[in-house]
Amino acid sequence: MSHLFPNVQWETMWAATSETLYMTGVAVAVTFVLGLILGLLLFLTSKGNVWENKLANAVISAFVNIFRSIPFIILIILLIPFTKAIVGTILGANAALPALIIGAAPFYARMVEIALREIDKGVIEAAKAMGATTTTIIWKVLVPESLPALVSGITVTAIALVGYTAMAGVVGAGGLGNLAYLEGFQRNHNDVTLVATVLILVIVFIIQFIGDFVTSKIDKR
Amino acid sequence: MKPLITLEHVTKVYPTGRGNVTAVNDVSLHIREGEIFGIIGYSGAGKSSLIRLLNGLEKPTSGQVLVAGKDIGKISGKELRQARQEIGMIFQHFNLLWSRTVRENIAFPLEIAGVPKKERLKRADELIQLVGLQGRENAYPSQLSGGQKQRVGIARALANNPKVLLCDEATSALDPQTTDSILELLVDINKRLGLTIVLITHEMHVIRKICDRVAVMENGKVVEEGEVLHVFQRPQQMITKRFVQQITEPEETKETIAHLLDQYPTGKVVQFAFAGSVTERPLIAELIRNFDVKINILQGKISQTHQGSYGVLFVHIDGSHEEVAKAIDYVRQQQVVVEVMTHESLIS
């Protein structure tokens, strides 16, 4: 092993891997919640739905579009003052979280909105005719009926987030991206870059596998 | 009997980009407790809007909608949600939740009503029995046929023991055989539970099979209303006649009659429309015996309605002018509606 990858320090590599997993995990969890809320708001305030409101819809939509359009590497830089204010530092895994979440949640929100639009309007009408409250409609109709799409959406988002963590690593957030850049690229240790890349691929494949598995289990259509 | 549902001068206007569209135009209806009331019309006649006014899915622009003593057009929030639990509804495309099993779908309205889980499951199983879906409790909607899905829809609509069942084109997506079995189920429920049923449809077949009374809608207005048998025998409006013809006349009848009118320049081709017990009398024999006429039977059909049988007979009567006129008069006195066919009357 040490012959094949002379420059790889496995302990550092595992530490970087767990940092990447930590950043991805926390970011996915928060993105799921925030994106779901934003997506629901986008859907519910749109035309013909229970909270139809042109102004609110336009405001949320603009917010989502702006943060979805900013290239991630620029978003990190723009958010430095914000990160400093809430995390206290701009280095380390935690410092990457605000940018990761703000970059990914709007992206996921659009996917949630699309998933909700796919629900048959008749089913929502039927729930209303039964005397359901809006809260009941959200939790017992909208979310369960769009769940496969919500899960496959968060899978795509999680994979994008793995890529984002690598980018965040370049500007000091830690993780495999950081290691590949500092140890691999700057010190010209190609074996480190290779191993970091393979580990990232493995993480992506595992996420995709879990996502596909869960989606097929819950889809009863 | 006092009406369970009352509509007084109800109008529903939808504002659109290009001016207003009046979907329901000054409709007044009284629907009695325990009856099956049908509303028939072509698509765009306003019947979908009308049925949605009955459970507050649509609000009237003006007029009053009373269902079981509640002013559906005025109430909102909790009061409206509670009123809706007393009004079941089934749909053309069933609108089941695909993520739930049959049992869970049926239990859904009970969840909304806050019934405890144990009771929900017990009630769901009773309803599964009622609609004949034993053994399919744990199936998902995607595993069911159209007829079975509608049975789930019906069970779900009955879960909270409603006073009224609204049927929105409930059989329009089903094949004829399945349609009949669903209609039979509806009649059965109506009899067993004394449930008032309001249905909308574009098929006269549905009205004939199960309705007690019918309203015909055209351009947002109710143009004709009455007992089904009466409307079948004496349709007043052109549109009603067309709907009745869906049942009584096969497609080729018009052509056949036009051909006969050409073939028999003397005498008259007439249509007799009977209802109830008259259908069982030997009318033709009486005519031949009592009048000096020749009668040639061209076509006939007897249909069963929910209230009794209804028949249509096309005959050619030949003889002297006076005898033919006397014979037709005689038939008219027997509570049979007579229409002398001409080329003009065929155009309609």
Side-chain angles (χ1 to χ4, degrees):
Chain A
M1 210 61 155
S2 60
H3 187 69
L4 264 176
F5 307 108
N7 303 307
V8 175
Q9 292 169 311
W10 292 101
E11 238 165 73
T12 326
M13 192 58 84
W14 295 137
T17 308
S18 62
E19 265 178 355
T20 294
L21 288 175
Y22 168 78
M23 285 189 284
T24 311
V26 175
V28 166
V30 181
T31 297
F32 180 73
V33 175
L34 268 183
L36 192 62
I37 294 170
L38 281 174
L40 278 165
L41 285 174
L42 273 174
F43 175 74
L44 293 170
T45 57
S46 65
K47 200 167 155 35
N49 286 298
V50 272
W51 294 338
E52 182 175 340
N53 186 326
K54 262 196 183 141
L55 182 71
N57 192 263
V59 170
I60 302 165
S61 193
F63 173 81
V64 164
N65 284 342
I66 289 168
F67 283 98
R68 214 165 49 125
S69 314
I70 301 174
F72 185 67
I73 197 79
I74 297 172
L75 186 69
I76 298 173
I77 297 162
L78 286 175
L79 285 176
I80 285 175
F82 176 72
T83 306
K84 218 169 191 173
I86 62 165
V87 188
T89 170
I90 57 160
L91 293 174
N94 280 330
L97 291 175
L100 289 172
I101 292 160
I102 291 172
F107 178 71
Y108 185 52
R110 280 291 178 204
M111 286 199 243
V112 171
E113 189 202 4
I114 292 166
L116 296 173
R117 276 183 204 275
E118 291 291 308
I119 299 172
D120 186 355
K121 283 268 185 296
V123 178
I124 301 168
E125 187 182 44
K128 268 194 220 165
M130 288 175 217
T133 58
T134 303
T135 320
T136 306
I137 292 175
I138 290 172
W139 296 113
K140 300 211 162 176
V141 180
L142 297 181
V143 172
E145 291 286 296
S146 62
L147 203 55
L150 296 183
V151 171
S152 57
I154 200 67
T155 308
V156 173
T157 310
I159 289 169
L161 272 168
V162 174
Y164 286 176
T165 62
M167 254 191 268
V170 176
V171 290
L176 288 166
N178 185 278
L179 190 70
Y181 181 68
L182 290 182
E183 291 289 317
F185 175 69
Q186 293 203 327
R187 300 175 73 175
N188 210 10
H189 292 156
N190 286 334
D191 55 336
V192 175
T193 314
L194 182 72
V195 172
T197 310
V198 169
L199 285 172
I200 286 178
L201 285 180
V202 169
I203 294 172
V204 168
F205 284 160
I206 291 173
I207 292 173
Q208 187 67 55
F209 176 78
I210 296 172
D212 288 348
F213 179 77
V214 174
T215 307
S216 74
K217 270 284 166 234
I218 55 179
D219 198 346
K220 306 289 185 191
R221 278 172 293 195
Chain B
M1 213 185 295
K2 75 172 179 23
L4 183 69
I5 300 172
T6 310
L7 278 79
E8 295 286 2
H9 304 290
V10 173
T11 296
K12 174 71 192 178
V13 179
Y14 295 101
T16 68
R18 282 161 293 155
N20 293 335
V21 173
T22 308
V24 176
N25 191 354
D26 191 26
V27 168
S28 297
L29 283 177
H30 301 270
I31 299 172
R32 300 173 200 135
E33 199 166 347
E35 77 173 334
I36 304 183
F37 191 91
I39 298 162
I40 191 167
Y42 292 112
S43 53
K47 53 195 194 313
S48 282
S49 301
L50 186 67
I51 202 161
R52 279 167 178 70
L53 287 164
L54 299 182
N55 61 0
L57 287 174
E58 300 284 356
K59 294 279 174 186
T61 309
S62 65
Q64 194 182 37
V65 181
L66 285 174
V67 179
K70 299 220 171 61
D71 193 340
I72 299 292
K74 297 273 180 332
I75 58 175
S76 61
K78 196 173 178 201
E79 213 182 340
L80 176 60
R81 289 197 297 272
Q82 272 170 353
R84 279 172 174 168
Q85 289 175 12
E86 304 209 317
I87 307 170
M89 189 169 190
I90 59 174
F91 304 85
Q92 180 175 3
H93 298 296
F94 325 120
N95 297 349
L96 304 177
L97 291 130
W98 61 256
S99 57
R100 288 174 170 241
T101 62
V102 167
R103 189 189 272 123
E104 289 163 350
N105 261 293
I106 297 172
F108 186 38
L110 299 165
E111 277 176 55
I112 291 171
V115 176
K117 183 159 188 191
K118 220 173 153 190
E119 268 176 65
R120 280 200 311 252
L121 294 180
K122 190 167 154 270
R123 176 83 182 125
D125 285 338
E126 279 170 28
L127 289 156
I128 287 166
Q129 294 277 332
L130 179 75
V131 299
L133 281 175
Q134 300 92 314
R136 305 298 276 152
E137 295 87 343
N138 297 316
Y140 285 91
S142 61
Q143 301 165 315
L144 302 177
S145 69
Q148 289 174 325
K149 283 183 198 163
Q150 196 57 289
R151 282 170 193 269
V152 178
I154 292 171
R156 181 176 73 172
L158 297 177
N160 279 320
N161 292 311
K163 294 196 171 84
V164 183
L165 177 65
L166 306 176
C167 309
D168 176 16
E169 297 272 10
T171 58
S172 301
L174 302 173
D175 63 62
Q177 224 177 342
T178 315
T179 295
D180 283 353
S181 77
I182 293 294
L183 294 178
E184 274 158 30
L185 177 63
L186 289 176
V187 173
D188 182 50
I189 289 164
N190 165 259
K191 289 218 181 89
R192 259 208 272 179
L193 311 176
L195 186 71
T196 309
I197 298 180
V198 181
L199 61 87
I200 64 170
T201 182
H202 61 267
E203 295 169 310
M204 202 58 176
H205 171 76
V206 173
I207 303 285
R208 171 180 78 78
K209 270 227 114 154
I210 70 168
C211 291
D212 298 304
R213 288 197 303 141
V214 60
V216 182
M217 271 192 96
E218 191 178 23
N219 298 328
K221 281 186 177 289
V222 168
V223 293
E224 197 161 346
E225 186 197 340
E227 305 281 325
V228 168
L229 208 51
H230 188 264
V231 170
F232 264 72
Q233 201 187 7
R234 295 182 171 78
Q236 303 298 315
Q237 304 292 327
M238 196 57 82
I239 180 172
T240 317
K241 285 181 188 164
R242 267 207 304 239
F243 276 124
V244 172
Q245 278 169 6
Q246 275 184 12
I247 297 291
T248 56
E249 291 178 25
E251 278 296 304
E252 63 276 25
T253 303
K254 275 184 187 174
E255 284 167 41
T256 316
I257 290 166
H259 178 69
L260 288 166
L261 285 173
D262 293 334
Q263 212 180 345
Y264 301 107
T266 60
K268 288 205 157 75
V269 175
V270 289
Q271 173 194 290
F272 298 153
F274 321 79
S277 59
V278 209
T279 41
E280 284 140 36
R281 278 187 45 191
L283 187 73
I284 301 296
E286 283 171 27
L287 285 182
I288 299 172
R289 207 169 296 151
N290 298 335
F291 304 95
D292 184 16
V293 290
K294 275 195 277 186
I295 292 184
N296 187 11
I297 295 174
L298 306 174
Q299 186 176 55
K301 187 175 181 189
I302 292 180
S303 318
Q304 294 301 318
T305 74
H306 193 46
Q307 297 175 310
S309 48
Y310 162 74
V312 170
L313 186 63
F314 288 95
V315 296
H316 175 241
I317 308 180
D318 207 354
S320 70
H321 249 313
E322 299 85 70
E323 282 298 303
V324 172
K326 269 198 271 176
I328 290 174
D329 268 350
Y330 174 78
V331 180
R332 281 211 168 104
Q333 284 156 23
Q334 315 302 312
Q335 290 171 309
V336 173
V337 176
V338 182
E339 189 182 347
V340 178
M341 305 307 287
T342 59
H343 278 295
E344 288 75 45
S345 66
L346 284 176
I347 295 163
S348 62

